[in-house]
Amino acid sequence: MASRSAGYGRGVATKGHLARAERLQGATGALATAAMAAMDEKLPWFGKLSAQDRSWIGLVAQSGITAFVDWFRDPEAHSAMPTRMFGSAPREFTRVISLHQTVDLLRTTIEMIENTIGDLLPPEDVPVVREAMQRYAREVAFAAATVYAKAAEMRGAWDARLEALVVDSVIRGEADESVRSRASALGWTGAGTTGSTEVAVVVGRAPESEPGSANVADVVRHAAREAGADALCAMQGDRLVVVLGGTSKPVEIAQNLAQWFGPGPIVVGPVVKDLMAAVTSARAAVAGLRAAPAWPAAPRPVQADELLPERSLSGDGHARRQLASDVYGPLTIGDGVLLDTVSAYLDSGGSIEATARAMFIHANTVRYRLKRVAEITGYSPLNPRDAFTLRVALAMGRLLNPEPGSTAL
């Protein structure tokens, strides 16, 4: 083996090899100085770093050269030396320069050593040192990749915790400027491909994770961005929460994400103006998820506002007030004939003729009034699902807005 004949490898080093290592030791100072000069000359970005960052890089370079000398003297005793050479740099080192730039630094330093040792060492030492340097450079490259991989894992874990904190703040209604700042740190802009800043919250059951499966949050974020929306995603117990930004059509985006949710309903909250107002959307989506089992035929995904009657029956006060104000309230305006007509129509089992007889009016008059009800409220009494919503709205309106002399619950 070349390494054995050169005097380094397994076994006891020869006197000639130890003498060669001592001569190399004496050249470390000149090599470190030459390495910094080569970086400054060949790497344009190096000169733009702060003095502190350049100092840290200089320490790493010097540590690497010193570690090479120790490794060259006895590779078996210093087998972990390439990995330890990065120990002199702070954790922020990986944020200052990229992995690509680190590779440039290593390449520049190695080329400098190969070109310089001929002037610092005897001719008979040069081939041996160059061969050892090639082996050592490979180990250093693996060590650098390990350092950056660990840093990426730590950043990924921290980002996941921060994202979960942001989503939790939205769900609990604690979104403020600090939450906006944290979301920005995660790359959230709130603007999709349309440039809109509107936000909607989507809630569904969490998928059953399998060993070795991809991170669901990462996949959902990627799918949302592919569909043209920004996204924040977090698992909260048995539910998956996705905050969509930059889209006025969250249901269409949610359809693209449905495969990543667990079985059961997926509820899309109403669109709000920005992340600060997202609690309104989150509250409706969570209440909708709780009430969705009462409507087995609900589409998947379903809008939270389509579940207003079920949400009201499950105890959602916001849904009750929304039905009372947005559906019942407009029907009471004027002489109240629309309210009387839709009430008689529902009580008659959905028969226009029976309603006309009960109110002593023509059937066409009933049809006209029911059409007006649909125009004013957005719910058509002729549609069974809308009729159910209207019936619940009438009940909620009468409970929350009792006539004089009655007792409200």
Side-chain angles (χ1 to χ4, degrees):
M1 296 289 288
S3 59
R4 296 269 184 94
S5 62
Y8 60 92
R10 292 184 179 179
V12 180
T14 64
K15 291 182 178 180
H17 178 68
L18 293 177
R20 187 180 296 120
E22 290 302 321
R23 289 191 291 271
L24 183 59
Q25 178 74 50
T28 55
L31 290 175
T33 302
M36 293 298 292
M39 294 175 194
D40 200 24
E41 177 185 355
K42 297 182 179 182
L43 303 176
W45 55 264
F46 182 76
K48 298 178 182 179
L49 297 176
S50 66
Q52 182 180 12
D53 293 336
R54 289 198 301 272
S55 174
W56 279 118
I57 293 175
L59 287 176
V60 172
Q62 185 174 0
S63 173
I65 294 172
T66 302
F68 168 63
V69 175
D70 293 337
W71 178 87
F72 179 79
R73 181 179 289 110
D74 189 351
E76 295 298 325
H78 300 88
S79 59
M81 193 63 72
T83 303
R84 296 175 183 173
M85 65 170 286
F86 291 97
S88 58
R91 182 177 299 176
E92 292 77 10
F93 182 81
T94 56
R95 296 182 181 270
V96 174
I97 61 175
S98 65
L99 177 59
H100 178 73
Q101 291 171 328
T102 302
V103 173
D104 287 341
L105 287 175
L106 294 174
R107 182 184 297 112
T108 301
T109 302
I110 293 168
E111 291 177 351
M112 178 278 306
I113 293 176
E114 291 179 341
N115 296 331
T116 306
I117 57 175
D119 300 328
L120 301 175
L121 299 176
E124 62 271 17
D125 290 352
V126 174
V128 178
V129 174
R130 282 180 175 170
E131 181 186 353
M133 191 66 198
Q134 291 176 359
R135 292 179 56 199
Y136 184 77
R138 181 187 62 186
E139 299 301 324
V140 171
F142 285 133
T146 301
V147 169
Y148 278 84
K150 289 182 178 179
E153 289 176 358
M154 292 179 63
R155 284 198 299 271
W158 170 251
D159 287 350
R161 289 193 293 269
L162 183 60
E163 187 169 13
L165 179 63
V166 170
V167 173
D168 184 65
S169 297
V170 169
I171 292 292
R172 292 190 295 165
E174 298 176 356
D176 53 17
E177 288 300 328
S178 64
V179 173
R180 191 200 299 270
S181 176
R182 294 188 184 106
S184 298
L186 293 167
W188 166 271
T189 63
T193 55
T194 62
S196 169
T197 60
E198 294 176 312
V199 172
V201 177
V202 182
V203 182
R205 297 302 175 192
E208 296 181 359
S209 59
E210 298 180 359
S213 61
N215 187 305
V216 174
D218 292 338
V219 175
V220 169
R221 278 194 301 272
H222 178 74
R225 287 164 185 164
E226 285 290 317
D230 206 350
L232 295 171
C233 183
M235 306 283 274
Q236 292 190 332
D238 63 345
R239 68 188 182 191
L240 175 62
V241 182
V242 181
V243 182
L244 296 176
T247 177
S248 58
K249 299 178 179 180
V251 175
E252 295 182 6
I253 304 297
Q255 288 173 344
N256 295 327
L257 308 181
Q259 60 180 313
W260 305 112
F261 285 83
I266 301 173
V267 183
V268 182
V271 175
V272 295
K273 61 180 181 179
D274 56 25
L275 187 64
M276 306 293 282
V279 61
T280 301
S281 181
R283 183 172 54 220
V286 172
L289 183 65
R290 183 174 59 248
W295 185 17
R300 187 176 189 265
V302 60
Q303 296 185 53
D305 283 353
E306 294 184 63
L307 291 163
L308 284 176
E310 287 79 11
R311 288 166 53 192
S312 298
L313 294 174
S314 68
D316 183 3
H318 297 282
R320 291 178 176 180
R321 287 187 289 272
Q322 188 172 342
L323 285 176
S325 61
D326 297 350
V327 181
Y328 178 81
L331 296 178
T332 62
I333 297 176
D335 54 10
V337 294
L338 294 181
L339 178 62
D340 294 338
T341 302
V342 70
S343 179
Y345 175 77
L346 294 174
D347 291 341
S348 67
S351 171
I352 291 178
E353 290 74 15
T355 303
R357 289 193 299 270
M359 299 188 69
F360 302 102
I361 57 178
H362 195 276
N364 287 339
T365 302
V366 175
R367 293 187 179 93
Y368 171 76
R369 291 179 181 178
L370 295 180
K371 182 179 179 181
R372 288 287 299 148
V373 169
E375 293 172 352
I376 292 174
T377 65
Y379 296 96
S380 172
L382 304 181
N383 179 284
R385 172 66 189 177
D386 288 357
F388 172 64
T389 302
L390 287 167
R391 181 176 289 280
V392 176
L394 296 184
M396 294 302 164
R398 290 162 180 158
L399 288 172
L400 299 178
N401 301 283
E403 296 179 359
S406 63
T407 302
L409 296 179

